[in-house]
Amino acid sequence: MRDRAAPRRRSFAILLGVLLSTAPIAGAQAEPGIRILELPFKVRALRGPRSEAAVSVATSGLLPIARATSGQQGGHPVGEEESAPIAVVWGDEGGAVLALADGTVTVRPIGHEAVEGLTAAETPRGALPGSRRALSGPLSAYLTGRTRAPDGGDAAAILTIRERQPMAVSADPKPVPVATASVPAGGDAVFAPLRPRLLRLAGRPALLAATLSGADAGGLALIGRPGGDTAAAWTVTARTPPQPGPPLKIAGIADFSGFGALQAATVSGRGLLQLWTLAPDRIEPAGEAAGYAAGEDDSDLAVTVPPTGIPEIVLPVAGGAEIALVQAKGSLHERLRVPLPSPATTGIVILGEGAAARLVVGLADGRVAVVAPDGGKP
């Protein structure tokens, strides 16, 4: 007997196949969106939210921007760098403030002179020329004692730490007392001309800085107060063995592995991304991966927290016009690569958080790209 239902079953199967082939796959990675910002100048510097430039602009009254969060009581604890919800870019012919509004990065032009005035404090008087200080509330640190690196370039003999001291309330104006400490890199090492980073270990402020030792070796030095004693002198409490190649640029500090331990991510001029677990008295290697770039000398590299909740490092891919979003849960691995119209050299910073986060990337050709890594309008 002829099966009259067979044609209907075949038609249903075809329709079902079409629907399944066009349905979105659950959990699929959204395509990253990319937009080139319209700027009337070529960008030669980019600073992100955790920079003194961004904080200076946000607190200057120059534009109606939300105030920065401080490193003092009521904001971030001392040791965590201050931040503002903006990025700042500038070049020889102008500057701009970048902010995130309704998922889109907006541009507000400011004059080149204004930018220079607001960023002047990045390099305090007596600091290594062109270097940037770290700042958190009453605590600041910067490189001093200009010297020659083993390769003939600039370096610093000393890390100077300044800390404003509490003072009694008085009707008479008095200068704020400041305690100053000078910490040498130790041995034959000198400090590389890269910004030191402030952090907190065991509830206390500490600093991490890149060092040079020998003509072709770099490392990290951890500076703190031994035993957590607030009366103790600042000193180098831990260091890494010298690593072959150019200095280690600190890309970011976070709990990248998700185990509750603070870690530093570094990338060297030879393209090696390394992860280091930090403790008050030691620095331990926690993984490495090759094939990345450090960008320009002291350009920023981003650390972002995607919707998965695992902090990741964002850095340029060596030898090409791509950036990689690298996670360290289990092992160092790439979550995503994003092609760009030009190599990322002048920095990568992050605006916003989670799924709303946008990456701002300074390109080698002077343009700025905005990347929405998890989809959406950039």
Side-chain angles (χ1 to χ4, degrees):
M1 181 182 292
R2 185 179 179 184
D3 185 358
R4 296 181 179 178
R8 289 196 298 272
R9 287 198 297 268
R10 284 196 297 270
S11 298
F12 177 78
I14 292 170
L15 177 60
L16 182 61
V18 170
L19 290 173
L20 289 175
S21 67
T22 57
I25 300 173
Q29 174 67 54
E31 284 295 323
I34 300 175
R35 176 169 68 100
I36 300 296
L37 293 181
E38 294 184 6
L39 297 169
F41 57 90
K42 284 191 174 183
V43 170
R44 60 176 175 81
L46 166 64
R47 299 286 189 267
R50 289 189 179 276
S51 71
E52 192 164 354
V55 173
S56 295
V57 172
T59 56
S60 68
L62 186 66
L63 293 171
I65 301 169
R67 292 182 63 85
T69 57
S70 74
Q72 304 178 48
Q73 189 174 10
H76 292 302
V78 175
E80 295 182 8
E81 292 180 276
E82 299 180 2
S83 67
I86 58 172
V88 184
V89 294
W90 67 90
D92 296 333
E93 299 175 351
V97 175
L98 311 181
L100 193 62
D102 299 323
T104 300
V105 173
T106 61
V107 178
R108 297 179 181 180
I110 55 176
H112 180 262
E113 295 78 9
V115 173
E116 285 191 337
L118 292 167
T119 59
E122 284 190 325
T123 307
R125 181 177 298 178
L128 184 69
S131 64
R132 298 163 58 190
R133 71 174 175 175
L135 179 66
S136 177
L139 192 63
S140 65
Y142 52 94
L143 302 173
T144 59
R146 187 176 185 179
T147 187
R148 285 292 177 189
D151 64 359
D154 278 346
I158 299 294
L159 179 68
T160 294
I161 302 171
R162 291 171 56 85
E163 191 170 10
R164 296 196 307 271
Q165 303 298 299
M167 60 183 297
V169 177
S170 171
D172 300 324
K174 295 180 180 179
V176 177
V178 177
T180 302
S182 298
V183 182
D188 296 330
V190 293
F191 290 107
L194 299 171
R195 180 170 61 102
R197 297 298 186 94
L198 274 159
L199 58 139
R200 290 182 67 82
L201 283 175
R204 300 289 184 183
L207 286 139
L208 189 66
T211 60
L212 295 165
S213 52
D216 196 27
L220 296 174
L222 185 64
I223 297 98
R225 290 183 166 118
D229 183 358
T230 56
W234 290 91
T235 187
V236 175
T237 60
R239 65 177 75 245
T240 62
Q243 305 293 304
L248 303 181
K249 179 177 179 178
I250 302 168
I253 298 173
D255 178 13
F256 293 110
S257 295
F259 297 139
L262 200 61
Q263 296 176 310
T266 64
V267 58
S268 73
R270 62 192 178 105
L272 189 64
L273 171 65
Q274 293 175 288
L275 206 61
W276 308 89
T277 300
L278 307 175
D281 59 351
R282 63 188 183 278
I283 305 173
E284 298 177 340
E288 61 181 44
Y292 301 101
E296 293 183 344
D297 290 345
D298 208 10
S299 60
D300 292 330
L301 295 177
V303 172
T304 180
V305 181
T308 57
I310 304 170
E312 58 191 12
I313 312 114
V314 189
L315 69 169
V317 174
E322 290 180 296
I323 57 172
L325 283 70
V326 181
Q327 293 185 346
K329 184 73 171 180
S331 63
L332 283 170
H333 62 277
E334 291 186 13
R335 178 175 74 88
L336 184 66
R337 275 198 182 195
V338 181
L340 299 169
S342 178
T345 57
T346 52
I348 306 170
V349 303
I350 184 81
L351 290 174
E353 299 177 348
R358 299 293 181 264
L359 296 169
V360 179
V361 185
L363 304 179
D365 60 10
R367 293 182 296 170
V368 172
V370 177
V371 179
D374 295 294
K377 182 180 179 181

